[in-house]
């Protein structure tokens, strides 16, 4: 079954080389070290993010993701058990910024359902992860003979837990232990999503096995905990933190509490504002992760005196706003609508109104489109008290806008309250007009090919300046390949798919009757990297405003 894999692995082991098995910090990763003692500064390959099992419908885009570490930098390769990986049906990508390797299968077919292996190798060792791809064939209820005659290959659809033969039991043992840890601590409503994530389709077997593990886990927890309830999985907060909580009564108040991330113990403090914190109020324990970033994603486990109490997984969606919410002007008793568009589907995002969470109810309507890309917040029957800043939060990204509520004036009351008149002396004329200027210039960015590129700057001036974007001295304002917005002086441009054709000089020009100002940047696309250099900002104003001048030193 592993003839291809074994042949290639044997070639990598030179005569006299040792093979020392090591334990990875990430469950499911096997590490082999080729030398007895590693030199200083050298490390064997390992996975910080391993690919996970995938179940997907035929014709969709399937991909596995992996992030590896090691010194020297490991070389990543992919293999499959039955068949070869050819470049026509598979694509290999690498993001140099995030360090993520991907094996992509556009328009996946049933004959690509298989067990895949991801190898990370350097001259001091190797690390390997095994992952399964299950493909749901369109019209899967057809007879097996029809499938074989159409594809010429017998496709196996894995149903973990089927007890029709002894070989199935061996495959059940390959399930990642994270799968059971998540099920043991989550709500029953999340079972289906977790099973889909790990490729488990035999729910009857899963429930039977889960009940056995729950009984075993409860017997262990009884040794250290009297009562355990109200387990709430980890979730991202709009303030950029993540929290999970539970209520429990300890048998021994002096019991030691440990927190693990992907099997590695991490420090936490009950008082200080550090990365990982603990707040305790009576029997309620709240664990927090401050300043969440993509590296914080993973499986978090709480143990007390060596007994596992709670497991929860922090997932950070790789999502951004294609269209951000805009400022809304509404009159009293009217409805105000905020709407945004995401780069990838999400069932739910967080809405904030004046720093308070906003939920569906009598005052607010929160809706999402069928494709889960367009999210809408409706503030019903606006009052003056509703004005303020509203925010949409998706993953680690957020955008904000103002709700401005204008009061209605009853014409019948005009003049009725006027009891006296006040005559003021003629005052000197006062002008608040100013020439355009950049309060926030274009900044340096980095973006590889085929990724999104977002440029923005802020301009002030009265009268309100007219803003134009140029690329190589050609106006972009009417070019549909660039999404350009100007909200309250914040000028932004979005390039959805950066490519070599996007290289060049970009300029923002703001002008009004009092003057003109320019802000330029250079986009240089090389391979899979994009490099921006801020060049300069120069002001060209009329004689009345010659004193306004500013320049910026190039950034390397």
């Amino acid at each position: 079954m592993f003839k291809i894999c074994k042949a290639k692995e044997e070639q990598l082991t030179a005569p006299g080389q040792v093979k020392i098995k090591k334990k990875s910090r990430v469950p499911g990763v096997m590490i082999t070290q080729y030398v007895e003692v590693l030199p200083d500064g050298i490390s064997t390959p390992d996975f910080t993010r391993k690919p996970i099992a995938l179940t997907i419908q035929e014709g969709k885009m399937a991909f596995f993701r992996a992030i590896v570490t090691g010194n020297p930098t490991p070389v990543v390769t992919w293999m499959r058990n039955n068949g070869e990986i050819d470049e026509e049906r598979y694509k290999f990508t690498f993001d140099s910024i995030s360090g993520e390797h991907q094996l992509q299968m556009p328009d996946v077919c049933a004959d690509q359902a298989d067990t895949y292996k991801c190898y990370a190798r350097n001259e001091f060792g190797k690390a390997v992860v095994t992952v399964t791809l299950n493909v749901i064939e369109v019209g899967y209820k057809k007879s097996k003979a029809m499938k074989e005659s159409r594809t010429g290959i017998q496709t196996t659809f894995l149903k973990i837990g089927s007890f029709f033969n002894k070989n199935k039991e061996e495959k059940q043992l390959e399930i990642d232990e994270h799968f059971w840890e998540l099920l043991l601590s989550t709500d029953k409503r999340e079972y289906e999503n977790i099973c889909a994530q790990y490729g488990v389709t035999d729910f009857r077997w899963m429930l039977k096995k889960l009940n056995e593990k729950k009984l075993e886990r409860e017997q262990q927890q009884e040794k250290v905990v009297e009562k355990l309830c109200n387990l709430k999985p980890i979730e991202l907060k709009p303030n950029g933190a993540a929290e999970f909580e539970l209520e429990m009564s300890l048998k021994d108040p002096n019991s030691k509490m440990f927190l693990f991330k992907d099997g590695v113990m991490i420090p936490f403090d009950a008082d200080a504002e550090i990365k990982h914190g603990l707040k305790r109020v009576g029997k309620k324990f709240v664990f927090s992760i401050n300043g969440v970033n993509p590296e914080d994603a993973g499986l978090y486990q709480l143990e007390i005196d060596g007994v596992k109490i709670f497991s929860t997984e922090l997932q950070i969606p790789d999502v951004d706003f294609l269209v951000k919410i805009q400022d809304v002007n509404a009159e009293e008793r009217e409805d105000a609508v905020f709407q945004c568009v995401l780069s990838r589907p999400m069932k739910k995002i967080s809405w904030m109104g004046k720093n308070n969470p906003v939920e569906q109810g009598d005052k607010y309507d929160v809706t999402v489109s069928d494709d889960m890309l367009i999210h809408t917040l409706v503030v019903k029957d606006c009052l003056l008290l509703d004005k303020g800043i509203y925010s949409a939060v998706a993953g680690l990204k957020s955008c904000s806008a103002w709700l401005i509520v204008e009061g209605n004036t009853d014409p019948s009351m005009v003049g009725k309250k006027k009891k006296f008149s006040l005559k003021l002396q003629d005052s000197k004329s006062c002008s608040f007009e100013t020439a355009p200027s950049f309060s926030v210039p274009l900044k340096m960015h980095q973006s590889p090919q085929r990724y999104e590129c977002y440029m923005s700057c802020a301009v002030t001036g009265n009268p309100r300046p007219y803003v134009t974007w140029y690329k190589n001295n050609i106006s972009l304002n009417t070019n549909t390949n660039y999404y350009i917005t100007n909200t309250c002086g914040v000028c932004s441009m979005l390039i959805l798919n950066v490519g070599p054709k996007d290289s060049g000089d970009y300029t923002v020009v703001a002008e009004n009757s009092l003057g003109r100002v320019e802000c330029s940047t250079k986009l240089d696309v090389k391979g899979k990297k994009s490099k921006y250099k801020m060049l300069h900002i120069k002001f060209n104003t009329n004689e009345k405003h010659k004193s306004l001048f500013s320049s910026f030193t190039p950034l390397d």
Side-chain angles (χ1 to χ4, degrees), residues 54 56-65 78 80 85-86 88-93 102-109 111-114 116 131-135:
L54 179 63
I56 195 169
Q57 184 176 340
E58 185 180 24
K60 301 290 185 178
M61 171 74 165
F63 55 87
F64 293 123
R65 296 176 173 177
W78 301 83
R80 59 177 293 187
I85 297 180
D86 57 86
E88 294 182 359
R89 304 179 66 188
Y90 297 85
K91 293 183 179 180
F92 307 91
T93 65
Q102 285 193 15
L103 174 63
Q104 299 179 354
M105 290 159 273
D107 194 22
V108 67
C109 298
D111 61 342
Q112 291 176 282
D114 202 350
Y116 291 78
V131 64
T132 303
L133 172 65
N134 301 313
V135 180

Side-chain angles (χ1 to χ4, degrees), residues 217-478:
R217 178 64 57 85
E218 289 173 357
Q219 292 175 350
Q220 295 175 351
Q221 292 176 347
E222 288 177 355
K223 300 177 182 178
V224 295
V225 176
E226 293 182 352
K227 184 179 180 181
L228 180 64
C229 61
N230 296 332
L231 307 176
K232 294 185 179 181
I234 196 167
E235 62 177 3
L236 286 169
K237 300 295 182 180
N239 61 358
E243 293 182 354
F244 68 92
E245 62 183 63
L246 66 159
E247 293 184 14
M248 62 180 174
S249 300
L250 300 176
K251 286 190 172 181
D252 182 3
N254 297 321
S255 296
K256 293 184 178 180
M257 199 174 301
F258 303 95
L259 185 63
F260 295 84
K261 176 184 178 292
D262 293 330
V264 179
M265 187 170 66
I266 55 178
F268 64 91
D269 196 287
D271 299 318
E273 292 291 333
I274 61 172
K275 180 67 176 179
H276 302 93
L278 166 65
K279 294 180 181 179
R280 179 176 179 179
V281 180
K283 299 179 181 180
K284 184 178 180 180
F285 294 79
V286 180
F287 292 85
S288 60
I289 305 170
N290 299 310
V292 174
N293 54 57
E295 290 73 23
D296 293 320
L299 181 69
Y300 289 82
Q301 294 175 299
L302 175 65
E303 292 188 7
I304 297 179
D305 291 342
V307 178
K308 292 180 180 179
I309 301 298
F310 185 46
S311 300
T312 181
E313 186 175 25
L314 174 59
Q315 295 181 340
I316 301 177
D318 183 15
V319 65
D320 203 348
F321 290 92
L322 296 182
V323 179
K324 299 182 178 181
I325 61 175
Q326 305 293 323
D327 292 344
V328 176
N329 290 315
E331 293 186 359
E332 275 191 289
R333 301 302 179 181
E334 285 186 347
D335 292 347
V337 180
F338 293 98
Q339 194 171 77
C340 60
V341 181
L342 304 182
S343 59
R344 61 184 300 173
M346 285 188 67
K347 293 182 179 179
K348 183 181 179 182
I349 66 174
S350 299
W351 291 94
M352 300 286 291
K354 297 185 292 185
N355 294 325
N356 294 315
V358 170
E359 299 290 346
Q360 174 69 37
D362 296 336
K363 184 63 181 178
Y364 304 100
D365 272 339
V366 179
T367 59
V368 59
S369 61
D370 293 337
D371 58 7
M372 293 185 288
L373 292 174
I374 304 175
H375 294 255
T376 305
L377 169 67
V378 179
V379 183
K380 296 183 287 187
D381 195 20
C382 288
L383 301 174
L384 292 176
L385 294 176
D386 295 323
K387 66 180 180 180
I389 297 178
Y390 288 75
S391 304
V393 182
L396 298 180
K397 303 291 184 178
S398 64
C399 58
S400 302
W402 276 90
L403 170 59
I404 302 173
V405 181
E406 300 175 354
N408 289 324
T409 302
D410 187 353
S412 62
M413 297 297 295
V414 176
K416 288 188 176 182
K417 294 185 178 180
K418 187 176 179 181
K419 297 183 180 180
F420 64 90
S421 61
L422 178 63
K423 185 176 181 180
L424 300 175
Q425 295 181 354
D426 295 337
S427 59
K428 297 181 179 180
S429 61
C430 181
S431 175
F432 294 96
E433 295 183 347
T434 58
S437 64
F438 285 97
S439 57
V440 180
L442 293 172
K443 296 182 179 180
M444 184 173 63
H445 301 272
Q446 286 187 349
S447 176
Q449 288 187 31
R450 299 187 299 275
Y451 276 60
E452 298 170 1
C453 175
Y454 182 78
M455 302 182 187
S456 65
C457 59
V459 63
T460 59
N462 187 23
R464 182 178 179 181
Y466 179 77
V467 177
T468 308
W469 286 79
Y470 293 91
K471 176 193 171 187
N472 297 334
N473 297 322
I474 299 175
S475 175
L476 302 177
N477 281 30
T478 58

